[in-house]
Amino acid sequence: TDNAGLSRRPVWSPNGDSIVYATNRDGAYELIARRTDGSLGERRLYAPPRAMPTWAGDWHAGGLFTLDQYEPVTGNNVYELRAGVRVPVAATTAYETNGSLSPDDRWLAYQSNATGGPRIYVLDRRTSERFLLPEASGMRPRWARGSGQLFFHTPAGQFFKVTPALITFSGGVAEYIFGYETKEHGDIAKFLAAEIGPGRRDYRNRE
């Protein structure tokens, strides 16, 4: 772009032929989409109420987006944009950002400092259950396209790959746990229900 103002946080479309980005070239932030080959004009996808700072997070098929938006009372929040309608995902007084959708749209991961420092939460969009990943810090979650693996990093430079796994406990109760692989030293830890005991970290943490 060569317009006045700021243009930031470009996000690719699901098929890779377009981008959406935030711009305040007209004085207030809005989300604009355009094809990368220049064949079509710009499209305004979303203009926030009260001209609040807004930027795109993720773009999925069917017009489903995640976005970050600043609000005067609650601060930075994460929303979904469903057919142009803004729906809150994480809108508390904590700093919430970087929403990312899994390829099957089942999970939405985001970053929040609700417990102090930056941590990664994972929302089950089917049940509205939230999981707090146990690492002491985590930033910028992103799902790998075509797989159910979530990647994030810590301020210290450790990179993690996380895979949700459905485990059925005695009594037929099913819960999700999260198997981890750290990129720093290559350790792989898969935590099955039968293996969680004293001295082991339980990856079934909830908000």
Side-chain angles (χ1 to χ4, degrees), residues 134-203:
E135 292 304 318
S137 61
M139 305 170 65
R140 297 186 178 277
R142 281 292 177 268
W143 294 92
R145 293 197 174 187
S147 75
Q149 295 175 328
L150 175 68
F151 294 81
F152 68 91
H153 69 86
T154 70
Q158 288 180 305
F159 283 79
F160 289 85
K161 180 172 69 176
V162 184
T163 305
L166 182 62
I167 303 298
T168 301
F169 292 84
S170 59
V173 178
E175 285 192 54
Y176 277 91
I177 62 174
F178 297 85
Y180 269 61
E181 176 183 345
T182 65
K183 198 65 174 176
E184 184 184 55
H185 48 72
D187 286 346
I188 300 175
K190 294 184 178 178
F191 293 85
L192 301 178
E195 296 176 344
I196 297 175
R200 299 179 185 269
R201 289 186 293 178
D202 187 340
Y203 282 79

Side-chain angles (χ1 to χ4, degrees), residues 14-192:
N15 60 6
D17 66 355
S18 303
I19 60 170
V20 60
Y21 59 93
T23 180
N24 66 353
R25 64 191 180 192
D26 294 325
Y29 274 101
E30 56 188 358
L31 299 184
I32 298 293
R34 64 188 302 175
R35 290 182 63 94
T36 53
D37 62 6
S39 61
L40 295 175
E42 296 180 339
R43 292 186 295 129
R44 179 185 288 109
L45 297 180
Y46 176 68
R50 302 180 303 281
M52 292 294 102
T54 302
W55 46 94
D58 208 352
W59 185 353
H60 271 224
L64 179 61
F65 293 84
T66 65
L67 59 90
D68 288 7
Q69 185 170 306
Y70 176 82
E71 297 285 349
V73 176
T74 56
N76 209 73
N77 303 318
V78 174
Y79 297 89
E80 289 184 4
L81 192 64
R82 303 176 189 170
V85 178
R86 188 188 69 165
V87 179
V89 172
T92 72
T93 55
Y95 184 88
E96 294 137 342
T97 186
N98 293 320
S100 181
L101 289 158
S102 62
D104 62 359
D105 293 338
R106 171 71 184 270
W107 306 96
L108 194 155
Y110 63 94
Q111 173 186 331
S112 173
N113 67 353
T115 61
R119 302 279 296 276
I120 303 299
Y121 288 76
V122 181
L123 169 68
D124 187 336
R125 298 178 66 247
R126 296 180 187 173
T127 66
S128 298
E129 188 173 15
R130 294 175 199 264
F131 298 84
L132 172 61
L133 300 189
E135 292 304 318
S137 61
M139 305 170 65
R140 297 186 178 277
R142 281 292 177 268
W143 294 92
R145 293 197 174 187
S147 75
Q149 295 175 328
L150 175 68
F151 294 81
F152 68 91
H153 69 86
T154 70
Q158 288 180 305
F159 283 79
F160 289 85
K161 180 172 69 176
V162 184
T163 305
L166 182 62
I167 303 298
T168 301
F169 292 84
S170 59
V173 178
E175 285 192 54
Y176 277 91
I177 62 174
F178 297 85
Y180 269 61
E181 176 183 345
T182 65
K183 198 65 174 176
E184 184 184 55
H185 48 72
D187 286 346
I188 300 175
K190 294 184 178 178
F191 293 85
L192 301 178

